[in-house]
Amino acid sequence: RGARIWKLIPKENDTRTQWRVDYDDGIIPWDNCYAGLNAFEEHFRVRVSLDMIEKQCIDSPYPLERAVHQQRIQFFEKVPFLEVIDEAFHAVCRWHPKGTLIDNVKWAKLCRQMRFLSNMKNSKHEIDMAFVRHSDARKLDLVRFHSILDDIASMQHPELTKENALIKTVWSSIVTLTDVNAMMWKEAKAMALRHESLRVCAETRIAAFVRKEIQESKSKEMKSAALIIQKQMRQVFARRFVASLLKKMKEDEMFQLRIKCATSLQTSWRRFFWRNRFLNHKKRKIECERQNNTKKREHLRQKRRLSLASLLYRDVIRIDTTIATVSIHLYEDVQTTMLLKVYVPSTRETFSFRLNENEVRECLERALCSEGRLSWDEMLKRDALNELTKRLMIRNVRGRPIFLFS
């Protein structure tokens, strides 16, 4: 009863560390520190008793993957190894005689217990030389204790990096010290309790939120059902009241005559109203179409007058074998410009060239060999405008004539 069979393997093939062997053998005691105490942990506005959490997180004989609650063995290796080294330093200082520093006697005793450099020849000499290198007045303080452990770990595990060698040395030897081991199990238990309390509080909060959502949905359903029932009952009572009134009215002959007159009058009025509305709508639509047509015709007339008024020149020219119609228009908006259009009947294409006043003046003065500045009357003469058509050039691109203005 109470036996734990963890591994049925020979002892020489067992690679577990000593602290894990002690845990698997049930040697590590479990202390109920919070039994009978009114201690609580609070997360997410939920308080949970540490006494209950402590009872749940007790060591389980089953494999860790089957454990329901957090186990302290899961957090043993998560204790910061720097704190482990600090606790080891203070534990060695408490050896007889007690002090605040470590001398060579305590250092030698620690090395014998931890079996430092057991894989090296003349290990005692190496340990003494390491103490001489790092000690101050034959004493080691906390900082020097950290540095000498770094040196010992590097010599004991030269194939590893400095940090990994120190971690391996700590977990394989330092943690077996009684005070250090007790501190680490206590810290691992505290970490397990914190994680378990956080998880329990989160589960409680989630469960409360789910219950809240369920109750709210049920409340909404009941409220909507009550409203529907009220609506249906009001409709039933209203129908009964109206039916009783209609029954009383139908018994009156005068009421029947009024109903017929009112129905006939309503029918005539609706007929008159909708017919009048349709005729007015049709009249407005015809008038709107007439106005739109008038505006379109006026716009086209204005556009035609402007086009004819701005036409200055029109002629048929022949360049190579291509016949084209040339027209020149004058536009006086913000800036006076001329638009030269070339229409090619064979390809039904129109080429447009817009020239400003300076370009027109420069071309005509150069073409007419004028000694002075030309006036508009001189530039608008047919002979002068004919000179602009002589500036047209033609290029054949894939059998299609392209006009250019040079």
Side-chain angles (χ1 to χ4, degrees), residues 351 353 391-395 402-406:
F351 301 90
F353 306 97
R391 303 293 297 272
L392 293 173
M393 297 187 301
I394 189 170
R395 296 285 186 271
I402 302 296
F403 278 87
L404 302 175
F405 185 82
S406 64

Side-chain angles (χ1 to χ4, degrees), residues 19-43:
W19 61 269
R20 184 57 190 260
V21 173
D22 294 341
Y23 175 81
D24 292 342
D25 294 340
I27 300 175
I28 308 300
W30 177 273
D31 297 328
N32 293 322
C33 304
Y34 297 99
L37 298 180
N38 192 21
F40 296 92
E41 278 277 345
E42 184 174 352
H43 302 283

Side-chain angles (χ1 to χ4, degrees), residues 133-145:
R133 286 194 302 269
H134 294 278
S135 63
D136 183 18
R138 309 291 293 178
K139 302 287 184 180
L140 292 175
D141 57 5
L142 182 58
V143 177
R144 296 180 183 277
F145 185 72

